Amino acid sequence: LWQNLMVMENKQELTFRPATNQVSEVLNAIQQPEPRPRWQQLYEAHLDSEGKADRELASARKKIQAELQHCTFKPVVNRGAVSAPKDDRPIHERAAQWAQQAQARVEQLRKQREKEELAQCIPAPKFTPRARTPRARPAQSHRGELAFVERQRYARILREQRDARLRTDASQR
């Protein structure tokens, strides 16, 4: 990319030339004692900033290494302690086994408590309820039932008469 830009600049193939006023040109000349293209200045500034970041990182690493050189703390670890027996099964299998064992213990305790409670219980006398046989009652009419049925019958007759009139009127048209 750099070489392509250099070649293009040398060939003067770049057609765009921005119009700048005299004040801008004077300021540019003061800031840039040697005339270089702006893209070249920016690229070099980028390279400088990358180099500066690399130098700062290296300096920080050296500082940390120097601090670690002065650290004298070394923990005392008891290497002779007996550790728990190693189980090479995956954790999910061991966890499932632990859960089953815990469930079995809970069930065993529940059954034991239930036995203790039953042993403390005094048997109560058996209760046998006496059931009564229902007596057959004669059908009773409720108050107002007959009047209701009569109103329903009268309404049905009126509806049938109305429907008959409507049918005869429709057939005459």
Side-chain angles (χ1 to χ4, degrees), residues 45-150:
H46 169 71
L47 291 178
D48 289 343
S49 68
E50 280 185 346
K52 182 179 179 183
D54 290 341
R55 288 189 300 273
E56 288 176 356
L57 184 61
S59 170
R61 284 185 182 152
K62 285 180 184 178
K63 184 177 178 183
I64 290 171
Q65 288 295 332
E67 286 180 13
L68 289 177
Q69 295 272 334
H70 299 292
C71 291
T72 59
F73 173 74
K74 293 183 182 171
V76 178
V77 179
N78 187 1
R79 301 226 183 254
V82 177
S83 61
K86 299 228 177 195
D87 193 354
D88 294 337
R89 292 181 300 156
I91 186 69
H92 66 277
E93 290 178 7
R94 288 181 283 161
Q97 181 186 6
W98 295 332
Q100 288 173 350
Q101 290 171 350
Q103 186 66 28
R105 279 191 302 262
V106 167
E107 187 66 25
Q108 183 182 8
L109 289 172
R110 186 187 61 77
K111 285 181 181 179
Q112 184 180 357
R113 189 177 318 123
E114 203 172 277
K115 282 181 183 179
E116 290 172 359
E117 287 177 2
L118 286 175
Q120 292 177 357
C121 287
I122 300 171
K126 290 189 176 184
F127 173 74
T128 53
R130 286 178 279 173
R132 290 192 231 167
T133 57
R135 288 182 263 160
R137 295 183 190 164
Q140 297 175 352
S141 66
H142 295 284
R143 199 171 89 192
E145 182 180 353
L146 292 175
F148 172 75
V149 171
E150 195 59 36

